[in-house]
Amino acid sequence: MVSEEGATHARNIWKFGRTHCNEMSVNCGPSARNREELGVSVRQKPNCFKEQVTSQRGQQQQGKRRSQQQNECQFDRIKALEPARRIKSEAGVTEIWDENDQQFQCAGVVVMRHTIKQQGLLLPSYSNTPKFIYVDQGRGFHGAAIPGCPETFQSSGQNSRDRRESSEDQQQKDQHQKVRQVREGDVVALPAGVADWFYNNGDSPLVLVQLLDTSNAANQLDQDFRKFFLAGNPQQELQSQRSSNQRGQHEGESRRGQQERYRNLFGGFDERLLAEAFNVDTKLVRRMKNENDNRGIIVQVQHELQVVSPQESREEEEREREHQRRQGGGSNGLEESFCTARLKHNINNPEDADVFNPQAGRLTTVNSLNLPILRHIQLSAQRGVLYPNAMMTPNWNINAHSICYITRGSGRIQIVGDNGQAVFDGQVREGQVITAPQNFAVVKKAGSQGLEWVSFKTNDNAQISQMAGRVSVIRAIPEDVLANAFQISREDARKLKNNRDEVSVFSSSQESRRGRD
């Protein structure tokens, strides 16, 4: 069991306040009657005009992000990118997008994707940055080793493997921290420095899209992402290449061209010191170092992984969703402790959509209102589904960068900068990533097969401002102002304001199919 001092420390370093508006907060206008008239469902939210309380930690984190990136967001073009590096392991593949691309340097993030085969284990590791993970496909187990927390899961010791062990071993039942089941549509949030692992116990590949927030205040090293592995021998290509040139200059000519050998953390310690620390013999310590292990960071489990993880029933999931609805996505009034914090939330269920249009699609948001840990790591996410030829309203992100990963289908995206010029205007497809910097205007239109995505946002309570539709900035401006601003008649100004009554996601209108003058 954890010491009282450790538990107190864990509780004290994990505090959550209360905020009152989520990403769709600027879009909370339609009444229930209006929603029925429009055929659009917008989930009821707390009062959008309540005071939003932001923690001092959050302000400091956003301040640091601004100071680090003030010279990184000056660009004329943005590209939709495929992964730049592909690293094979025994039981899977890891792909990393080019962290030196200017859009990622502007947002201060790194994007990678793990594809884990059946019975594959992504080895335990931690990072110098918070991690935000989207389960794009499959199911499996996820474990996080949170410092200072007790091992609350205990095995019964009655399985067949245990019966083969000695009677002494049977008395020593395995205890470990909570193991969570994850499935397609889950997002998993992890603070910097928390070690975690994934295991695929499903019948299809487990695909994890991961965002590392290198500009987060929790990262006090540099803008490189660093993966610290507790087992295996990670491939050198897994480490950041953002500052490789600068490091080469500082390390001198003698280091250039040499292949560094990467090992797990135990590989750098003296064997006798480790043997003393764990109270084991040096032979076992040498096995921990894995010096001749060439399996990579995703390894094949020979027999089914033996962990304790209770099955979550459908009824329990329904109760949790109903509880969140009653709470309005907010806190229950009690401090959520470090050890019991929820780390995952599913954003794939249509019933949980924040905005739904039966002719166009849906949007689902996860932020610090429905997953409070996000207030600590200052990140949020949006899941978008557009039906064929539908579109999402032109909008801009008020307080965050948006890193968009295309999960299904294809479509067209336009991004416009402060000079009124398009920095991106092109087709996107499944597996690509594109960044919409803060305040840059963006519009998405689905192709004939529809368009689906998940957007990672660099604020725990990201907000957008819509440019067209029922709750848009144009709708909020008087007709005379629009008429004079655009040099149009009041009748045309009225059309701009009122011709599109949908919210956020728009069906393909007859006018757009015919083409406008």
Side-chain angles (χ1 to χ4, degrees):
M1 296 295 292
V2 67
S3 68
E4 182 176 351
E5 179 182 358
T8 301
H9 173 70
R11 288 192 297 269
N12 288 341
I13 63 176
W14 194 279
K15 294 182 182 291
F16 300 108
R18 181 189 293 268
T19 58
H20 298 280
C21 292
N22 73 351
E23 179 178 349
M24 304 307 297
S25 64
V26 293
N27 305 331
C28 295
S31 64
R33 181 176 62 83
N34 286 334
R35 292 197 302 272
E36 292 175 359
E37 291 174 354
L38 302 177
V40 177
S41 172
V42 181
R43 168 161 312 167
Q44 199 69 21
K45 298 296 180 184
N47 188 341
C48 295
F49 301 101
K50 290 183 180 179
E51 178 183 4
Q52 180 177 349
V53 181
T54 305
S55 68
Q56 183 178 4
R57 178 185 296 272
Q59 293 173 342
Q60 292 172 345
Q61 287 179 331
Q62 293 303 318
K64 180 177 180 181
R65 181 182 298 278
R66 286 194 298 271
S67 65
Q68 287 178 334
Q69 298 162 30
Q70 58 186 351
N71 296 320
E72 299 290 349
C73 297
Q74 304 295 327
F75 43 69
D76 297 323
R77 302 298 298 173
I78 294 175
K79 298 178 181 178
L81 298 176
E82 308 276 355
R85 304 201 301 280
R86 179 181 172 90
I87 303 103
K88 292 185 178 180
S89 296
E90 178 187 45
V93 175
T94 299
E95 297 163 293
I96 305 175
W97 275 257
D98 181 11
E99 63 266 38
N100 289 312
D101 189 274
Q102 200 166 13
Q103 62 181 292
F104 297 135
Q105 294 197 10
C106 168
V109 300
V110 173
V111 182
M112 64 175 58
R113 180 173 61 202
H114 297 293
T115 302
I116 306 172
K117 298 178 182 178
Q118 291 177 256
Q119 290 189 246
L121 174 66
L122 179 60
L123 293 175
S125 68
Y126 62 90
S127 174
N128 60 323
T129 73
K131 292 189 288 190
F132 206 12
I133 303 159
Y134 176 72
V135 182
D136 188 37
Q137 179 184 325
R139 62 182 176 89
F141 290 139
H142 172 249
I146 301 176
C149 297
E151 299 81 23
T152 54
F153 281 38
Q154 184 179 54
S155 68
S156 63
Q158 298 301 314
N159 58 56
S160 59
R161 182 189 296 183
D162 288 336
R163 287 195 292 269
R164 291 196 296 268
E165 301 293 338
S166 67
S167 58
E168 179 181 353
D169 289 336
Q170 289 185 23
Q171 296 174 1
Q172 299 180 0
K173 300 175 182 178
D174 183 29
Q175 295 183 97
H176 53 75
Q177 287 190 18
K178 183 175 182 177
V179 173
R180 299 162 179 84
Q181 299 184 58
V182 295
R183 57 189 171 90
E184 182 177 332
D186 278 345
V187 291
V188 180
L190 283 172
V194 173
D196 75 314
W197 53 269
F198 281 90
Y199 172 71
N200 183 357
N201 70 335
D203 52 8
S204 63
L206 177 61
V207 181
L208 309 171
V209 182
Q210 184 176 116
L211 180 111
L212 302 172
D213 187 11
T214 57
S215 288
N216 195 283
N219 173 24
Q220 299 185 30
L221 294 176
D222 49 38
Q223 288 300 290
D224 291 354
F225 75 90
R226 302 176 189 231
K227 302 281 281 186
F228 299 82
F229 281 88
L230 299 178
N233 284 325
Q235 299 93 324
Q236 182 178 357
E237 295 84 358
L238 284 165
Q239 299 299 341
S240 175
Q241 296 184 5
R242 178 167 285 173
S243 302
S244 58
N245 293 335
Q246 292 89 325
R247 284 200 303 270
Q249 293 172 4
H250 291 305
E251 290 169 357
E253 294 291 339
S254 61
R255 295 291 300 276
R256 293 179 182 174
Q258 295 182 4
Q259 291 292 321
E260 291 187 53
R261 183 180 182 184
Y262 280 78
R263 299 181 292 181
N264 68 57
L265 288 175
F266 294 113
F269 287 109
D270 180 81
E271 290 181 2
R272 289 170 295 181
L273 288 178
L274 285 179
E276 182 179 356
F278 285 95
N279 194 23
V280 296
D281 57 40
T282 55
K283 181 179 179 180
L284 180 55
V285 168
R286 283 193 289 272
R287 295 295 301 272
M288 292 173 63
K289 290 190 172 189
N290 290 24
E291 291 185 353
N292 297 318
D293 188 348
N294 297 314
R295 296 176 297 169
I297 65 168
I298 307 174
V299 302
Q300 193 72 48
V301 175
Q302 298 304 316
H303 305 284
E304 186 177 351
L305 200 68
Q306 300 293 322
V307 297
V308 182
S309 180
Q311 295 290 329
E312 186 180 41
S313 67
R314 185 178 299 273
E315 289 76 13
E316 287 176 320
E317 292 180 6
E318 290 295 333
R319 283 199 299 270
E320 181 180 353
R321 276 200 291 269
E322 182 60 29
H323 174 71
Q324 291 171 3
R325 292 190 186 103
R326 289 197 303 268
Q327 294 293 332
S331 167
N332 61 6
L334 300 175
E335 175 186 314
E336 186 170 15
S337 75
F338 187 84
C339 298
T340 60
R342 284 193 308 118
L343 301 183
K344 72 182 181 76
H345 183 88
N346 192 276
I347 56 175
N348 211 33
N349 192 330
E351 294 181 3
D352 294 330
D354 297 293
V355 175
F356 173 66
N357 183 334
Q359 281 76 46
R362 65 182 186 270
L363 297 175
T364 306
T365 298
V366 57
N367 57 23
S368 56
L369 291 172
N370 47 20
L371 190 59
I373 188 179
L374 295 178
R375 185 170 299 121
H376 182 74
I377 68 173
Q378 289 290 295
L379 294 171
S380 59
Q382 178 192 75
R383 167 89 165 122
V385 176
L386 290 179
Y387 301 155
N389 302 313
M391 70 183 302
M392 182 175 176
T393 177
N395 68 87
W396 68 84
N397 291 276
I398 294 175
N399 57 351
H401 301 299
S402 178
I403 300 90
C404 178
Y405 174 80
I406 308 299
T407 59
R408 303 286 188 278
S410 61
R412 182 185 180 186
I413 292 180
Q414 281 189 314
I415 302 174
V416 178
D418 57 307
N419 60 0
Q421 300 295 319
V423 296
F424 179 81
D425 182 2
Q427 297 292 314
V428 294
R429 60 182 181 273
E430 180 178 337
Q432 289 185 323
V433 173
I434 188 167
T435 301
Q438 178 186 7
N439 296 145
F440 281 49
V442 58
V443 63
K444 299 182 179 77
K445 182 172 175 61
S448 59
Q449 301 301 313
L451 179 66
E452 300 182 23
W453 71 89
V454 59
S455 291
F456 301 98
K457 308 217 174 186
T458 58
N459 191 298
D460 70 294
N461 189 26
Q463 300 174 357
I464 66 170
S465 181
Q466 300 186 28
M467 301 172 71
R470 176 69 177 83
V471 292
S472 66
V473 61
I474 294 296
R475 196 73 170 255
I477 296 175
E479 289 178 4
D480 264 5
V481 174
L482 295 176
N484 283 277
F486 296 132
Q487 294 183 303
I488 58 178
S489 67
R490 291 191 63 181
E491 181 182 355
D492 286 339
R494 194 172 297 117
K495 291 179 181 178
L496 285 178
K497 293 188 63 168
N498 302 319
N499 272 18
R500 179 68 80 170
D501 271 342
E502 295 164 300
V503 176
S504 301
V505 288
F506 300 160
S507 58
S508 180
S509 65
Q510 294 180 356
E511 191 77 17
S512 65
R513 286 195 293 267
R514 288 199 304 263
R516 290 183 170 84
D517 294 335

